[in-house]
Amino acid sequence: MSDYLTYVWRPVTGGRHAFPIAATKIPASDQVVAFCGAEANAAELHGRSEVDWIREDTCINCWHSLTIRPCP
């Protein structure tokens, strides 16, 4: 099991998706891809509020993708 994060959940437009941790380091103007295949502007991964978390539903496809991944 890894001592480091390998993914991060972020509430972006259209749902709360899981992204590879590397997506948080991508320039704000670039696109990032969630584990389910959903695309978002990298800027959406930063500065989210608690209200954003409440408003967006968890993406069940991301959830399933992560549950079938082997631990690093």
Side-chain angles (χ1 to χ4, degrees):
M1 185 170 185
S2 174
D3 290 339
Y4 302 100
L5 290 175
T6 58
Y7 61 89
V8 61
W9 287 93
R10 288 292 187 266
V12 297
T13 304
R16 192 176 321 116
H17 292 277
F19 294 88
I21 196 68
T24 63
K25 312 250 188 285
I26 292 177
S29 60
D30 290 350
Q31 291 292 108
V32 291
V33 179
F35 282 93
C36 69
E39 293 185 15
N41 189 291
E44 289 191 73
L45 301 184
H46 306 287
R48 292 305 189 172
S49 70
E50 289 183 29
V51 173
D52 295 326
W53 279 89
I54 294 167
R55 287 184 181 152
E56 299 294 345
D57 291 328
T58 298
C59 173
I60 197 68
N61 293 326
C62 282
W63 185 265
H64 286 296
S65 292
L66 292 172
T67 60
I68 62 172
R69 287 178 64 210
C71 290

